[in-house]
Amino acid sequence: EPEVTQTPSHQVTQMGQEVILRCVPISNHLYFYWYRQILGQKVEFLVSFYNNEISEKSEIFDDQFSVERPDGSNFTLKIRSTKLEDSAMYFCASIGQYNQPQHFGDGTRLSIL
Amino acid sequence: GESVGLHLPTLSVQEGDNSIINCAYSNSASDYFIWYKQESGKGPQFIIDIRSNMDKRQGQRVTVLLNKTVKHLSLQIAATQPGDSAVYFCAERVGGSQGNLIFGKGTKLSVKP
């Protein structure tokens, strides 16, 4: 069964540094999402992306965050200047058609020191 | 408002028993609901979904019930197995057919052999 893949599985970064999290959505999917999950808490929506532009974003997704689909397969989340509170699991998800469930990757654990 | 923190509701069942996990959702305009299973170190895994024009949907060993009057979802797992041990999240979709998901807090299911 096709999967959403995310790399790296664990990223450790110094506070203030830039970090890029990478996702390869399922190949024929068109809608892409980033979510985060702080340890022990619920999954929170960050941003959705379709047709090379942001569709929706949450209050969490401030000017320090950006997303990009640099080629036909990758979907990236960049945090420009990381803060301690950015430490979380970051999940990428995608869907192919209307009214389909979002399929999630296994996430990247981001640890800010 | 909703409390946040490390404490998850826990349901402990004996192997072979049926499990019922409950969820309250927030938005009466939500039109689509999903149950996800999350195992340790993994991303949310799709279990079953239901649209708002239905009140019951059955899958393999799982049933979802939707009560729109009280904004309540439940997930029933028949003949619970040790492999069902995980955290279960309900999610409601907002903003149309490609909209983002709002996740509930999660319930930890522990299955005793």
Side-chain angles (χ1 to χ4, degrees), chain A residues 58-78:
Chain A
S58 72
E59 291 176 354
I60 304 168
F61 194 88
D62 62 21
D63 291 345
Q64 294 300 311
F65 290 85
S66 62
V67 289
E68 193 177 30
R69 186 152 163 85
D71 53 43
S73 58
N74 290 285
F75 179 51
T76 62
L77 175 70
K78 182 195 293 187

Side-chain angles (χ1 to χ4, degrees), chain A residues 33 35 42 98-99 102, chain B residues 2 36 51 93 98 101:
Chain A
Y33 308 81
Y35 292 81
K42 59 184 178 180
Y98 293 178
N99 288 325
Q102 293 179 22
Chain B
E2 203 175 77
Y36 285 97
R51 305 196 195 296
R93 185 180 67 191
Q98 303 88 38
L101 299 176

Side-chain angles (χ1 to χ4, degrees), chain B residues 55-94:
Chain B
D55 52 23
K56 180 179 180 178
R57 190 160 189 234
Q58 288 186 284
Q60 190 175 22
R61 277 202 310 119
V62 293
T63 301
V64 55
L65 299 177
L66 174 63
N67 184 332
K68 294 183 289 293
T69 303
V70 295
K71 293 190 285 189
H72 184 268
L73 270 172
S74 68
L75 176 70
Q76 300 177 3
I77 305 174
T80 315
Q81 302 167 0
D84 295 327
S85 294
V87 177
Y88 289 80
F89 291 95
C90 68
E92 58 183 307
R93 185 180 67 191
V94 295

Side-chain angles (χ1 to χ4, degrees), chain A residues 31 33 35 37 39-43 45 48 56 89 91 95 97-107, chain B residues 2 4-6 8 32 34 36 38 41-44 46 49 51 89 93 97-101 103-105:
Chain A
Y31 304 88
Y33 308 81
Y35 292 81
Q37 185 180 32
L39 181 64
Q41 298 188 21
K42 59 184 178 180
V43 178
F45 169 71
S48 59
E56 294 281 342
M89 286 290 291
F91 294 106
I95 59 172
Q97 299 177 23
Y98 293 178
N99 288 325
Q100 294 295 311
Q102 293 179 22
H103 293 266
F104 283 78
D106 281 339
Chain B
E2 203 175 77
V4 294
L6 296 177
L8 275 179
Y32 178 60
I34 309 174
Y36 285 97
Q38 188 178 29
K42 299 272 196 175
F46 169 77
D49 57 1
R51 305 196 195 296
F89 291 95
R93 185 180 67 191
S97 55
Q98 303 88 38
N100 56 280
L101 299 176
F103 281 78
K105 281 195 294 187

